[in-house]
Amino acid sequence: MRYALTVDPGVRDLRTADHLLRELAAELALAEDVFGCTHLVRGDRPRVALSLVLPSEPLLSTVRERLAAGGHEVRDGLPDPAGRAVLYPGAAAVTATLTIAQLLTRSAIDRVTVLGAPGPPAPGTSLVTRDHVRPQWQDGELVLTAMPAAGGVLVPFEVPEPTPCCADH
């Protein structure tokens, strides 16, 4: 059984949320079996919440106490079931270029979908990760959405450094 908590740092962009999630994981010395996700919170105060899914209740209690002591707003559970994974088992091993089979073997990612494709990519298809792989939870599975790129390879749909909206004017 896994145990989850949500941290609401009040940040408004994914890049800042990613950085904070990694920073908290390092400060708390969390093992690689922890899932750390971002969640878009809509409503009167749009922001990005963070979630941590931990392997044990004692660890959950310790992490909750340490985060609260650090001034973070913490509550039990997930904000929603569709988090965008930043920390997950094998995340450090999915860098550079690898095949879909290698990605699935080395990480907690369950499957890959390709925009515009009727089915999954072949296991031998190359994925150029750009060292930025952010799968999302979909119906209990960790799914990476990819898109075709030049040279017959795939790249993750989410780019590492997106161009801000209206950057050209």
Side-chain angles (χ1 to χ4, degrees):
M1 180 172 210
R2 310 282 286 182
Y3 302 89
L5 57 81
T6 295
V7 179
D8 192 347
V11 299
R12 296 182 56 92
D13 66 277
L14 289 173
R15 179 182 268 171
T16 302
D18 285 8
H19 180 74
L20 180 57
L21 194 50
R22 282 199 196 101
E23 192 175 271
L24 291 173
E27 287 174 13
L28 297 165
L30 297 177
E32 192 179 287
D33 62 346
V34 168
F35 287 88
C37 296
T38 60
H39 302 262
L40 299 178
V41 178
R42 292 169 175 76
D44 60 339
R45 193 173 58 99
R47 62 200 182 281
V48 182
L50 312 176
S51 69
L52 293 170
V53 178
L54 306 155
S56 71
E57 191 168 12
L59 181 57
L60 177 79
S61 295
T62 300
V63 168
R64 183 188 311 111
E65 290 169 13
R66 289 184 62 196
L67 288 169
H72 294 283
E73 179 183 322
V74 182
R75 66 181 179 278
D76 288 337
L78 297 171
D80 62 55
R84 172 184 159 273
V86 176
L87 308 172
Y88 51 92
V94 292
T95 60
T97 300
L98 37 97
T99 66
I100 298 300
Q102 290 170 322
L103 172 85
L104 298 175
T105 301
R106 294 178 185 179
S107 72
I109 297 172
D110 295 303
R111 64 186 172 91
V112 176
T113 62
V114 180
L115 292 176
T125 303
S126 291
L127 176 77
V128 179
T129 69
R130 301 175 294 203
D131 298 337
H132 189 83
V133 179
R134 300 292 186 271
Q136 291 194 318
W137 288 105
Q138 296 177 11
D139 299 322
E141 289 185 307
L142 198 54
V143 179
L144 177 67
T145 300
M147 60 186 179
V153 301
L154 297 174
V155 294
F157 177 71
E158 183 177 325
V159 296
E161 298 195 31
T163 302
C165 176
C166 307
D168 60 341
H169 51 106

